[in-house]
Amino acid sequence: QVQLVESGGGLVQAGGSLRLSCAESGRTFSSYSMGWFRQAPGKEREFVAAISWNGGSTVYADSVKGRFTISRDNVKNTVWLQMNSLKPEDTAVYYCAASSRYLTTTERPYDYWGQGTQVTVPS
């Protein structure tokens, strides 16, 4: 069973930075592509970024491209989302997820999800 635990959320002023972490407790972390999604109040959950199993490929939503960076360490069983130049519209609950598919940007292929961590950027 894959268990994902996010951390690092919080309140940050516009223009600031946060780094989210997602730790996987099992021994199969390197088998999965990892993704970050977010859900703002009253909106559907949306794709943010994804990284391939070996970190060699990444993909980003247009809304975060150039500001967010996804990375992973298969020894530490951790994936990170570095978020810079944060905007009020980045306010959401951020979820990490694991997929046995290659670098997917839609929700359905993700088999495991974390509980989410809140990011708030006041306007």
Side-chain angles (χ1 to χ4, degrees):
Q1 183 72 15
V2 174
Q3 293 185 328
L4 303 173
V5 179
E6 301 100 333
S7 61
L11 188 149
V12 62
Q13 297 303 311
S17 298
L18 278 177
R19 188 173 81 154
L20 305 183
S21 300
C22 174
E24 195 267 326
S25 60
R27 300 181 179 181
T28 58
F29 181 75
S30 62
S31 301
Y32 294 94
S33 295
M34 299 297 296
W36 286 95
F37 289 76
R38 66 186 181 186
Q39 187 167 23
K43 295 186 177 181
E44 293 187 353
R45 190 157 55 186
E46 65 176 3
F47 170 77
V48 176
I51 189 167
S52 60
W53 67 273
N54 64 353
S57 297
T58 57
V59 61
Y60 297 92
D62 287 344
S63 59
V64 306
K65 202 172 293 184
R67 299 188 297 123
F68 291 11
T69 302
I70 188 171
S71 60
R72 69 187 294 163
D73 185 328
N74 287 346
V75 174
K76 296 181 178 179
N77 285 4
T78 301
V79 60
W80 295 278
L81 185 68
Q82 177 67 44
M83 305 186 295
N84 298 329
S85 302
L86 282 161
K87 305 175 182 179
E89 50 264 44
D90 294 320
T91 295
V93 177
Y94 283 71
Y95 300 88
C96 73
S99 173
S100 56
R101 302 281 187 90
Y102 179 74
L103 210 61
T104 180
T105 63
T106 56
E107 287 191 40
R108 184 173 292 185
Y110 285 87
D111 307 293
Y112 304 99
W113 292 81
Q115 82 289 349
T117 185
Q118 176 72 46
V119 171
T120 302
V121 187
S123 56

